[in-house]
Each structure stands twice: as C-alpha cells, then as structure tokens.
Amino acid sequence: MSGLPFAPFLLLVRRLTWLVLGLLALGSVLGAGWGAQRLYQQREAQFRHQAEAAVQAINLLQARNLADWRRRQLADAAQLSEDPLLAQAAQQWLARPQADAGVLLQERLRSLLERGGYSAAVLLDAQGRQRLSPEGPQVRALPSLEQQALAQAWAQAEPVCVELYQAQP
C-alpha cells in the first residue's frame, strides 16, 4: 500500500509529459511552417527582383535600339537631302513632270523601299504634296503628322523624325 499515494502523482507526471511533448510537437510544426513561409517570401522577393531586373534590361535595350534606329533614319534623310544629283533630278522633274524623266527617280524610291527597309518613299513638292512614288506620278496630301514634321524640317533646315504610329487605312 505504500505505492498507492504516488499513483496520482505519476499519473499527473505522465499527463504533463504528454502535454509537454504535444506542445513541443506543435511548436515544431509551427516553427517549420513559419520557416517555410519565410523561405517562400524570400524566394518570391528574389524572383520578383530578377524579373524586374530582366524587364529593366530589356527596356534599356529597346530604348537604345530605338535611339539607334532614329539616328540611322536621320542620317539616311540627311544623306538623301545632301545628294546633289538626286536634288537636281527631283528639281527638274518637279519643274517638268514627264514620265521618262521620273523613271530614274522612281527607281531610286523603289530602291529605298527594297534595300532601305522603308515602308514608304515618296517625292514631295514644297507644299508637302506627294508628287512621285515608286509606282509613278501621283498628287496626294501628306497625313497631318507628316505635314507637321515637314514644316518643322523646313523651319529647322534639317531632317526630323515622325514619332512611331500606326497609319489608318
């Protein structure tokens, strides 16, 4: 009978042991969950940073490419406007538009389209009307953006670029 008074104490110790083990297990699970969440957040932030850096690099590359493209376009325009033979041929054709005289100019315009990668190449008169295209003589007004750029080019006496846009059909 001497062992019976300790039985409630042992039962209490056993229950406390299971409670402590349960709390430790719960703490371990919560700690592992918290650690996994922190790891996920760190990786997400790292991937976001990498994606932002890649987009920024692409943006910078595209901006440089666009600036280089504009520089090439302006250099091509300056070269064409400074070509004395082309200027003389254009001036003569505009003074007396004849089909025979326009053939060489049409070939030059066609060459600009085929080899220069341009979407359009036309000869304009001083009022900004299209007078000659690779297909032949024609009189059409320029779209408003091009008219504004032409006025600016006349005023500055140097080539200008029109901002990129999609032409309306």
Side-chain angles (χ1 to χ4, degrees):
M1 288 226 146
S2 63
L4 286 178
F6 292 108
F9 178 71
L10 288 176
L11 186 60
L12 180 63
V13 168
R14 191 175 286 161
R15 284 186 181 166
L16 286 175
T17 302
W18 281 112
L19 179 64
V20 168
L21 286 176
L23 290 175
L24 284 174
L26 180 62
S28 296
V29 169
L30 291 176
W34 179 79
Q37 180 194 23
R38 292 284 298 151
L39 180 64
Y40 175 79
Q41 288 174 342
Q42 288 172 350
R43 292 253 172 111
E44 182 183 30
Q46 180 183 10
F47 290 143
R48 185 180 308 116
H49 177 70
Q50 288 173 347
E52 289 171 354
V55 168
Q56 188 175 17
I58 290 169
N59 186 31
L60 182 62
L61 181 63
Q62 290 295 340
R64 285 182 184 162
N65 286 343
L66 182 59
D68 290 344
W69 174 83
R70 288 178 68 103
R71 233 182 333 274
R72 284 192 309 272
Q73 299 306 308
L74 289 172
D76 286 352
Q79 183 180 16
L80 288 170
S81 65
E82 293 171 1
D83 183 346
L85 296 176
L86 179 61
Q88 183 181 12
Q91 187 178 28
Q92 288 174 355
W93 187 86
L94 287 170
R96 288 183 312 282
Q98 300 170 357
D100 296 348
V103 171
L104 293 176
L105 288 172
Q106 283 179 251
E107 287 301 317
R108 182 70 183 265
L109 295 174
R110 189 173 296 114
S111 175
L112 287 171
L113 291 178
E114 293 171 359
R115 291 184 179 82
Y118 294 98
S119 60
V122 295
L123 176 65
L124 304 175
D125 62 15
Q127 290 74 36
R129 292 184 306 252
Q130 296 180 19
R131 298 292 304 275
L132 185 65
S133 75
E135 293 78 33
Q138 57 180 298
V139 177
R140 285 195 322 214
L142 277 179
S144 63
L145 285 174
E146 282 91 349
Q147 287 176 354
Q148 292 170 4
L150 182 62
Q152 183 182 356
W154 283 117
Q156 296 175 353
E158 66 181 17
V160 296
C161 273
V162 176
E163 294 300 322
L164 297 175
Y165 71 97
Q166 187 172 2
Q168 300 298 324

